[in-house]
Amino acid sequence: MEKKTENNRGLLLVVSGPSGAGKGTLCGLLRKALPNLAYSVSVTTREPREGEVDGKDYFFKTVPEVKDMIFRGEFLEYAQVYGNYYGTPKPYVMSLLGEGRDVLLEIDIQGALQIKKVFPDAVLVFIIPPTLDELRARLYKRGKDTEEVIEKRLKESTRELRIAAKYDYIIINDDIEKACGHMLSLLDAERYRSQRMDFVIDRMLDNASGK
Amino acid sequence: MEKKTENNRGLLLVVSGPSGAGKGTLCGLLRKALPNLAYSVSVTTREPREGEVDGKDYFFKTVPEVKDMIFRGEFLEYAQVYGNYYGTPKPYVMSLLGEGRDVLLEIDIQGALQIKKVFPDAVLVFIIPPTLDELRARLYKRGKDTEEVIEKRLKESTRELRIAAKYDYIIINDDIEKACGHMLSLLDAERYRSQRMDFVIDRMLDNASGK
């Protein structure tokens, strides 16, 4: 008989954080450290931009296709933004998890909390900057937005920070290598949380009673 | 102003597991890896054995002293075993945690669940052997007990395994180095659980609103 002592379901890791917290860079570093970590590709109804590849950057769908998917309950979460639909396809994520692969999802707070509701096993990680002053400095430094947009983003971040308590973990992105180390720790630790080890216990007890 | 981005309360790590699961060896390895990890010293009313040092092996107390401590609510948990009291002194553990030190407590299931009730912030880890056959083999190999005692211990272990789900983590002690690695991961991860990061968020918001 095959000896299995490890949980072989994958983990769904959902990462959010305010704009400028550096979650993109952090997720990139995490994916480098864990080449087997799958990155969830979203569904969208918006037009592909130049160079975007269907099935890699997004799954590009028509509005009727997406409405059908919503009707059939095929999204872990979805939202309509500026008239376009964006969503996380449930069968796609579930099949990756079933193969034992961990899946990384970079998503906004609303989507993350939707996922936690329908899939409580998901692990939600909120990335925060060391201070709001640091966040302001980063947003100005990258020079992508006007002062007005930056101040609006900061207000939004303050609102989001109050919701962070609903996440499972809050990681301070002060030093990106350290932050990545904490992400690796929590991925390892989550595998041994008792609610994910029930089947190990059950099998031990089954084997014992079979004697 | 001092820049603090880390939670500086210590973690209370409570470790249990069936006899023969190897929790003693594992805790020893963990303490080597983390020299700053404090080991909680229990209070007992039993007589000191040769070589035992008060305050190091146990805090040796009289029965009236212990009864006073119980009356004043000074135990995180306590039990009476063969007429002697054993307990975990709350002020001692709390003062270590307050200094920012993580505290390790090796304790039985009843004690661990008592602690979780009065101190939900405690992190409970249950150590299990890879299989019950392996546990039986280990108990016979160490040759400390008679066959009757071993079979009684195994029955007790089966009962305990069903309670393991009440713990936060279940670690399989198949390879001691790996098991110790998982303990280090979970200690790191637990520090960033959102319920322990509330004060970081509060401070960020306070600083922001103070502007």
Side-chain angles (χ1 to χ4, degrees), chain B:
Chain B
M1 211 180 82
E2 198 191 354
K3 189 182 159 197
K4 270 191 193 169
T5 54
E6 307 276 324
N7 187 334
N8 51 4
R9 287 171 289 185
L11 281 178
L12 179 57
L13 182 67
V14 181
V15 176
S16 312
S19 181
K23 63 181 181 302
T25 320
L26 183 54
C27 286
L29 201 61
L30 189 68
R31 289 168 70 187
K32 256 190 200 164
L34 300 171
N36 202 37
L37 181 67
Y39 192 77
S40 170
V41 177
S42 295
V43 165
T44 186
T45 57
R46 79 151 167 75
E47 289 296 310
R49 289 185 195 136
E50 201 170 322
E52 283 185 339
V53 179
D54 185 45
K56 192 185 160 231
D57 298 294
Y58 282 99
F59 292 113
F60 294 102
K61 303 273 181 191
T62 65
V63 172
E65 280 173 334
V66 164
K67 284 191 170 166
D68 268 2
M69 288 179 73
I70 294 172
F71 183 73
R72 290 195 302 265
E74 283 179 12
F75 284 111
L76 273 174
E77 58 82 35
Y78 71 92
Q80 211 179 350
V81 182
Y82 300 121
N84 289 311
Y85 284 98
Y86 293 84
T88 304
K90 192 170 173 178
Y92 169 73
V93 169
M94 291 304 168
S95 96
L96 285 167
L97 295 175
E99 288 166 21
R101 291 188 66 182
D102 295 338
V103 179
L104 174 64
L105 205 56
E106 233 187 288
I107 206 172
D108 70 356
I109 289 190
Q110 280 66 32
L113 296 181
Q114 272 187 60
I115 287 183
K116 191 76 179 176
K117 230 175 191 169
V118 296
F119 190 65
D121 200 49
V123 178
L124 268 52
V125 182
F126 199 79
I127 309 296
I128 61 170
T131 63
L132 284 171
D133 282 345
E134 170 69 21
L135 188 63
R136 175 179 279 110
R138 287 184 194 173
L139 290 174
Y140 276 104
K141 201 177 155 198
R142 74 179 188 188
K144 250 177 50 180
D145 304 304
T146 62
E147 189 178 336
E148 200 193 330
V149 170
I150 288 176
E151 294 305 322
K152 211 180 121 189
R153 278 196 196 283
L154 284 167
K155 220 170 217 170
E156 175 64 10
S157 299
T158 309
R159 198 187 61 79
E160 287 184 356
L161 278 174
R162 295 183 208 280
I163 310 176
K166 295 192 181 174
Y167 276 62
D168 298 302
Y169 295 93
I170 297 171
I171 302 280
I172 305 162
N173 188 12
D174 197 352
D175 174 319
I176 188 125
E177 297 283 346
K178 275 190 195 169
C180 185
H182 298 318
M183 300 277 278
L184 291 171
S185 288
L186 74 86
L187 268 172
D188 186 40
E190 281 292 327
R191 225 169 288 280
Y192 297 94
R193 287 195 74 83
S194 53
Q195 65 266 33
R196 290 197 191 87
M197 293 291 284
D198 51 355
F199 84 107
V200 173
I201 299 284
D202 287 349
R203 198 179 40 227
M204 279 181 80
L205 293 173
D206 281 353
N207 286 347
S209 60
K211 287 210 173 270

Side-chain angles (χ1 to χ4, degrees), chain A residues 1-176:
Chain A
M1 210 181 81
E2 197 194 354
K3 188 184 161 197
K4 270 190 194 170
T5 53
E6 305 278 323
N7 187 334
N8 51 5
R9 288 171 288 182
L11 282 178
L12 179 57
L13 182 68
V14 180
V15 176
S16 313
S19 182
K23 62 181 181 304
T25 320
L26 183 55
C27 286
L29 200 63
L30 189 68
R31 289 168 71 187
K32 256 192 201 161
L34 300 170
N36 201 38
L37 181 67
Y39 191 77
S40 171
V41 177
S42 294
V43 165
T44 186
T45 57
R46 79 150 166 76
E47 289 296 311
R49 290 182 195 139
E50 202 171 318
E52 284 185 340
V53 179
D54 185 45
K56 192 186 160 231
D57 297 293
Y58 281 99
F59 292 114
F60 294 101
K61 303 273 182 193
T62 63
V63 171
E65 282 173 334
V66 165
K67 285 191 171 167
D68 269 3
M69 289 178 73
I70 294 172
F71 183 73
R72 293 195 300 267
E74 284 179 14
F75 283 111
L76 274 174
E77 59 82 33
Y78 71 92
Q80 213 179 348
V81 183
Y82 300 122
N84 289 310
Y85 284 99
Y86 293 84
T88 303
K90 193 171 173 175
Y92 168 74
V93 169
M94 291 302 168
S95 96
L96 286 166
L97 295 175
E99 288 166 21
R101 291 187 65 183
D102 295 338
V103 179
L104 173 63
L105 204 56
E106 230 187 291
I107 205 173
D108 70 357
I109 288 189
Q110 279 67 32
L113 296 181
Q114 270 187 60
I115 287 183
K116 192 74 179 178
K117 232 177 191 170
V118 295
F119 190 66
D121 201 48
V123 178
L124 269 52
V125 181
F126 199 80
I127 311 296
I128 61 170
T131 63
L132 285 170
D133 282 344
E134 169 69 21
L135 188 63
R136 174 179 280 111
R138 286 184 195 174
L139 291 174
Y140 275 104
K141 201 177 155 195
R142 75 180 186 187
K144 251 177 53 180
D145 304 304
T146 61
E147 189 178 336
E148 199 193 331
V149 170
I150 288 176
E151 293 305 322
K152 211 179 121 188
R153 278 195 196 284
L154 284 168
K155 220 170 218 174
E156 175 64 10
S157 299
T158 309
R159 198 188 61 81
E160 287 185 357
L161 278 174
R162 293 183 209 279
I163 310 176
K166 295 193 180 173
Y167 276 61
D168 298 302
Y169 294 93
I170 297 170
I171 303 280
I172 304 162
N173 188 11
D174 197 351
D175 174 317
I176 188 125

